Amino acid sequence: MTYTIYENRPVITRHARFEQLGDEDIVLEKALSMSLDLLDSDFKCLHLDGAWGRERHVNVLPLKQGCHSIYSLKGASSAEHNPFLALLRGSANENFGEVFGFSLVYSGNFIGQIDVSPYDEARINFGIHPENFEWLLSKGDSFMTPEVVMVYSDCGLNGMSQTFHSLFRQRLVRGKWRDRLRPVLLNNWEAMTFDFDEKRILTLAKEAASVGIELFVMDDGWFGKRNSDRSGLGDWTVNHEKLPHGLTGLIESIHEMGMSFGLWIEPEMVNKDSDLYREHPDWIFHHPERNTSHGRFQYTLNLANEAVYQNIYQQLHHLLANHEIDYIKWDMNRYMSEVFSSLHSSQQQGELSHRYILNLYRLYDALTSEFPNVLFESCSSGGGRFDPAMLYYAPQTWTSDNSDAIERLKIQYGTSMV
């Protein structure tokens, strides 16, 4: 067990490390990050639930005997339940009373669980969800769990939130953009969806520049044969029919207008109607003897496979190294299904979801290290992968695809909790 205790913050973090010292192989079937026992259950539980377009709505329930849990088995931390729980003592509210907050620094399948015993004792567990999880350890191997951040406040929810915010801003987020004001941006998606060419893009960009926009972002549809959501994902080369002067010519024009240039990508996904899929149909998560499910006509690439990782890395590295891109919006528009790989052994199938997340972090780390001036924004159909682990790599996250002002009040309030 590893604990970090902060001298000037009411914060303790914890994670576990398993090391196999024996000669025989062992298999981890459950590896949680924390378990905390409380002597009573006089608390209300606050968590953030929702769905696409209504992420992180506040839900408060009194603790009762039995088990209460939040979780994701979507392959991402998900819009359904954020990996965060808070316990409010008695009549604690926004500004008064004792609050304990727990936030898991992880972007994949997770569980947060509170058990209340017949003697009104409460136990809180948090970590990687054990369902479909296994991890083989041979002699000398080790496994480290994600970290849980535990916060105490005697000034209500507001004190808890301020502690999380200052900790994440100062000790988790990193890089050039950590403390900088973000540019005011315009994204062309709402105006055009897939229906654009260079002329339409530049016309919109001129209007944007005239009203003081600082960053112009070209969204989905600029690459491959991408004229709808049915084709092109996986082929991260410019569509010259739409952009005859390529990205280089377009970026130069945007920069000449006095704006920075941003680009949308969704590198973890592929359409069957793409050169990448036609060349490597075995690179998606699927079971060869079962139906393969799509979402938005796309499939999840098996990022746990080293060849897939290298392909995505090389395509994105080439894109960033050869173009003066100032901002990347990194999207993920579907959850995982049929998480099976014929390229991995039977003993490794339970490792796939976690290996996927580890290679996602590895990919982000490589690109953000090599291109430190680029502002990366994470996105997952809005707020479907909104967790502190992503903030380590991308210093801002798209909160929700729902930008209705009234709807956003609840979304923003829940998001502000942690």
Side-chain angles (χ1 to χ4, degrees), residues 93-302:
N93 58 26
E94 188 72 32
N95 294 297
F96 300 98
E98 288 189 307
V99 177
F100 298 86
F102 307 90
S103 182
L104 181 67
V105 187
Y106 188 58
S107 309
N109 295 337
F110 78 90
I111 187 167
Q113 184 170 293
I114 304 173
D115 287 297
V116 178
S117 76
Y119 305 102
D120 290 326
E121 299 164 324
R123 171 173 292 171
I124 304 99
N125 296 313
F126 231 133
I128 295 172
H129 203 299
E131 187 168 331
N132 300 321
F133 169 82
E134 289 185 347
W135 199 271
L136 178 66
L137 291 178
S138 299
K139 184 175 183 178
D141 291 342
S142 63
F143 179 86
M144 187 177 295
T145 69
E147 194 165 54
V148 172
V149 179
M150 300 176 282
V151 165
Y152 172 76
S153 167
D154 59 4
C155 297
L157 291 168
N158 190 50
M160 177 201 70
S161 297
Q162 289 181 357
T163 299
F164 274 122
H165 295 171
S166 65
L167 178 72
F168 290 162
R169 282 200 304 265
Q170 298 170 19
R171 293 292 181 265
L172 182 68
V173 180
R174 57 181 180 153
K176 169 183 175 179
W177 289 98
R178 188 188 74 174
D179 300 316
R180 293 195 174 195
L181 290 176
R182 302 297 191 262
V184 178
L185 70 83
L186 177 70
N187 185 305
N188 78 303
W189 177 255
E190 298 293 345
M192 302 175 179
T193 63
F194 297 103
D195 184 19
F196 66 84
D197 56 21
E198 187 174 290
K199 182 179 179 180
R200 290 195 71 196
I201 288 288
L202 291 176
T203 299
L204 182 62
K206 288 176 184 177
E207 291 292 326
S210 71
V211 296
I213 295 298
E214 299 168 315
L215 168 63
F216 185 87
V217 180
M218 184 165 61
D219 208 277
D220 197 354
W222 61 268
F223 54 91
K225 296 179 180 179
R226 183 73 166 173
N227 296 307
S228 73
D229 56 10
R230 295 171 180 259
S231 63
L233 278 178
D235 301 335
W236 299 105
T237 55
V238 67
N239 183 326
H240 284 279
E241 293 181 6
K242 290 185 175 183
L243 305 172
H245 295 97
L247 281 177
T248 299
L250 180 65
I251 293 170
E252 288 176 354
S253 297
I254 299 296
H255 284 167
E256 287 172 1
M257 296 178 195
M259 295 183 293
S260 300
F261 178 81
L263 199 63
W264 177 96
I265 59 173
E266 192 177 6
E268 301 162 63
M269 303 294 160
V270 69
N271 293 119
K272 285 191 174 181
D273 185 6
S274 67
D275 293 339
L276 181 65
Y277 181 82
R278 282 185 283 270
E279 187 174 351
H280 300 288
D282 57 339
W283 278 9
I284 64 170
F285 279 137
H286 72 291
H287 194 288
E289 298 179 2
R290 298 181 182 177
N291 292 332
T292 303
S293 306
H294 69 80
R296 200 174 178 247
F297 304 103
Q298 63 193 53
Y299 302 82
T300 308
L301 288 166
N302 177 8

Side-chain angles (χ1 to χ4, degrees), residues 312-346:
I312 297 174
Y313 168 75
Q314 293 296 335
Q315 289 200 68
L316 297 184
H317 183 275
H318 183 270
L319 180 68
L320 290 165
N322 289 280
H323 302 94
E324 293 184 28
I325 296 168
D326 305 295
Y327 161 100
I328 286 289
K329 183 173 184 177
W330 187 314
D331 212 341
M332 187 197 76
N333 278 309
R334 65 155 294 178
Y335 294 135
M336 297 181 197
S337 60
E338 294 91 41
V339 181
F340 181 89
S341 172
S342 58
L343 303 175
H344 291 79
S345 69
S346 59

